[in-house]
Amino acid sequence: MSEREKHICLDPGHDAGNLANKSPDGTYYEHAFTLDLGKRLEKLLTDRGVSVTMTRTGGGAVSLARRCEIANSIPDLDLFVSLHSNAAAGGGWSSAKGWSVYLYGPGGDRERAAQDILEQVRAAGIAVRSTPIVYDPELYVLKHTKAPAVLLENGFHTNREEAALLGQADYRQKLAVAEAKGILEYLGIPWVETEEETDYQAEARAAVDWLTENGIMQGNAEGDLMLDQPLTRRQFAVLEYRIAKLEGFV
């Protein structure tokens, strides 16, 4: 591998206008999951010296064509990674489950990237499908990106057990770490543990995860939690009220 900076394009699938791709009980939305996973991957990769471009950073609509334009505008892009969760036909709960990766076709750098990511996903103990690598030349973002491209299906949101896992912050982080390790393996960059979080940083991350998982803290229409913005007294009152409802006090 050359000494030039490596560049990855992360593509969180769908957007906040897509309300169809969800769990049958409506507790999970694919667009929110993919954006969260994308941001986790972005941090893990940038912390290790990889340049990352996101096709979207909020819930606003980004067409499939625009996602490919973003990727194709990056000189010497090393890998395009589209993030999704899978769904079985029928609209209800299904027994179908497992992680998988989709490619335009076999061979080349895309196949090597898929194998490297798959190896790390398996090593992390994440369940994969019996045929974890699938070739599909009709998927738009795989067909129209110039760089090697993979599309990751992170389990089935139509499977009751996997939908519950996909909603958990710890499991999302587990997926992100495994996939980041696989991407780095493909790039020829060793995985290096970063400095441990301070107690405050760990507590703040856990607090945000708990508040969002329980529906107490919600982002704007584009899915941005605006964590560094000041809190008004009215917003504080709403948060307190939601916590009181969750605990059964009101």
Side-chain angles (χ1 to χ4, degrees):
M1 302 293 282
S2 67
E3 294 300 318
R4 69 172 178 82
E5 184 180 44
K6 305 305 179 186
H7 204 143
I8 297 294
C9 184
L10 295 176
D11 175 45
H14 308 291
D15 56 64
N18 184 318
L19 301 180
N21 290 37
K22 63 180 181 178
S23 60
D25 62 0
T27 60
Y28 166 96
Y29 284 88
E30 185 177 356
H31 74 84
F33 163 78
T34 60
L35 183 58
D36 181 67
L37 181 62
K39 290 179 176 179
R40 292 173 187 271
L41 267 169
E42 180 185 29
K43 176 169 174 40
L44 290 167
L45 293 171
T46 55
D47 282 353
R48 290 159 179 83
V50 178
S51 178
V52 176
T53 297
M54 299 271 283
T55 59
R56 69 180 179 100
T57 57
V62 183
S63 70
L64 294 177
R66 178 57 185 152
R67 293 166 192 262
C68 295
E69 288 173 4
I70 292 169
N72 292 337
S73 70
I74 302 168
D76 298 320
L77 179 64
D78 292 285
L79 186 65
F80 175 87
V81 182
S82 193
L83 304 171
H84 292 265
S85 58
N86 216 335
W93 292 115
S94 167
S95 61
K97 63 180 182 178
W99 183 99
S100 58
V101 53
Y102 282 67
L103 304 177
Y104 178 80
D109 285 341
R110 60 180 174 243
E111 181 94 35
R112 184 165 61 85
Q115 292 286 358
D116 286 340
I117 298 170
L118 172 60
E119 180 180 354
Q120 293 298 328
V121 166
R122 278 181 164 146
I126 294 164
V128 302
R129 303 208 73 190
S130 56
T131 304
I133 298 181
V134 182
Y135 306 112
D136 189 341
E138 297 306 314
L139 290 176
Y140 190 96
V141 294
L142 300 182
K143 185 176 183 178
H144 294 282
T145 46
K146 298 175 183 177
V150 298
L151 187 150
L152 308 182
E153 292 282 11
N154 290 273
F156 279 75
H157 57 252
T158 49
N159 179 283
R160 193 182 298 273
E161 291 75 23
E162 284 196 329
L165 283 174
L166 292 170
Q168 296 174 11
D170 286 349
Y171 187 73
R172 293 179 180 190
Q173 190 66 14
K174 182 178 181 178
L175 284 167
V177 169
E179 290 168 2
K181 285 182 175 179
I183 291 168
L184 291 173
E185 178 69 23
Y186 165 72
L187 296 175
I189 298 174
W191 175 268
V192 177
E193 295 293 345
T194 57
E195 293 183 9
E196 291 186 5
E197 291 179 312
T198 65
D199 289 344
Y200 173 77
Q201 289 171 328
E203 187 175 33
R205 179 175 56 79
V208 169
D209 288 343
W210 185 84
L211 288 167
T212 53
E213 286 175 5
N214 287 282
I216 294 165
M217 185 166 65
Q218 301 169 4
N220 59 19
E222 295 188 345
D224 186 353
L225 292 174
M226 302 172 289
L227 294 176
D228 296 319
Q229 297 297 313
L231 186 69
T232 67
R233 293 172 67 87
R234 179 175 290 106
Q235 289 169 328
F236 175 76
V238 170
L239 289 176
E240 288 291 307
Y241 180 69
R242 288 173 179 168
I243 292 173
K245 285 180 66 179
L246 182 67
E247 298 296 328
F249 294 122
V250 294

